[in-house]
Amino acid sequence: MSYTITLSESRKFLEVKATGPITIDIVRQWSADIEKMSRAMDIRRFLFDVRTAQNVCTVLENYFFAYRNSMELNLPRDVRSAILVSERDQSHDFVETTLRNAGYNVRIFTDESSAVKWLEENISA
């Protein structure tokens, strides 16, 4: 497995940390895993730390994930997802664009504290 999923210290979001190239098979698997965990824990916010993991999916794979696979996996649209990238990595830009166009609340960040702040805003205690 080239990713881990953990509960944040604040217990307000799940953190997915990728440790190798991101393929469409990995995205499908972590999406299914996150969906199960988020339902069980009633958590609707996610931090995808891909600072050391480049997206190697094709443009079509990214597009079909946003518009087909996400529906097949029954991924809810009422979640908030932050994608934490390294400053020079633009391989995740199209992912953000397609997911946002498909109705998901996703943002790319290069600063972890900004990503965490955005994820934790407007959460009732």
Side-chain angles (χ1 to χ4, degrees):
M1 182 176 351
S2 60
Y3 64 91
T4 57
I5 304 172
T6 56
L7 182 61
S8 68
E9 283 186 36
S10 68
R11 305 182 68 79
K12 294 181 180 178
F13 60 90
L14 293 175
E15 183 174 353
V16 180
K17 183 166 182 124
T19 55
I22 300 172
T23 66
I24 194 63
D25 292 332
I26 290 169
V27 172
R28 287 183 191 129
Q29 184 59 53
W30 81 26
S31 296
D33 292 346
I34 291 167
E35 175 58 16
K36 288 177 195 168
M37 289 178 71
S38 72
R39 285 189 192 277
M41 301 170 117
D42 194 29
I43 293 177
R44 315 300 285 163
R45 312 251 173 145
F46 314 109
L47 174 66
F48 294 89
D49 184 346
V50 296
R51 288 178 287 189
T52 63
Q54 194 168 32
N55 177 5
V56 296
C57 301
T58 67
V59 169
L60 281 177
E61 286 172 329
N62 287 319
Y63 180 86
F64 284 129
F65 178 79
Y67 287 97
R68 274 196 198 149
N69 299 136
S70 61
M71 290 172 48
E72 292 167 359
L73 291 167
N74 199 27
L75 300 181
R77 294 183 196 274
D78 65 338
V79 300
R80 183 180 283 203
S81 299
I83 303 172
L84 184 58
V85 302
S86 65
E87 287 190 29
R88 294 189 178 125
D89 184 2
Q90 296 178 334
S91 68
H92 305 281
D93 291 0
F94 189 66
V95 172
E96 178 191 35
T97 300
T98 56
L99 286 171
R100 287 180 69 79
N101 288 345
Y104 293 94
N105 192 4
V106 177
R107 282 194 195 169
I108 286 182
F109 294 86
T110 56
D111 177 65
E112 186 171 1
S113 61
S114 296
V116 169
K117 183 178 177 181
W118 181 73
L119 285 173
E120 292 183 345
E121 69 185 18
N122 300 324
I123 294 181
S124 23

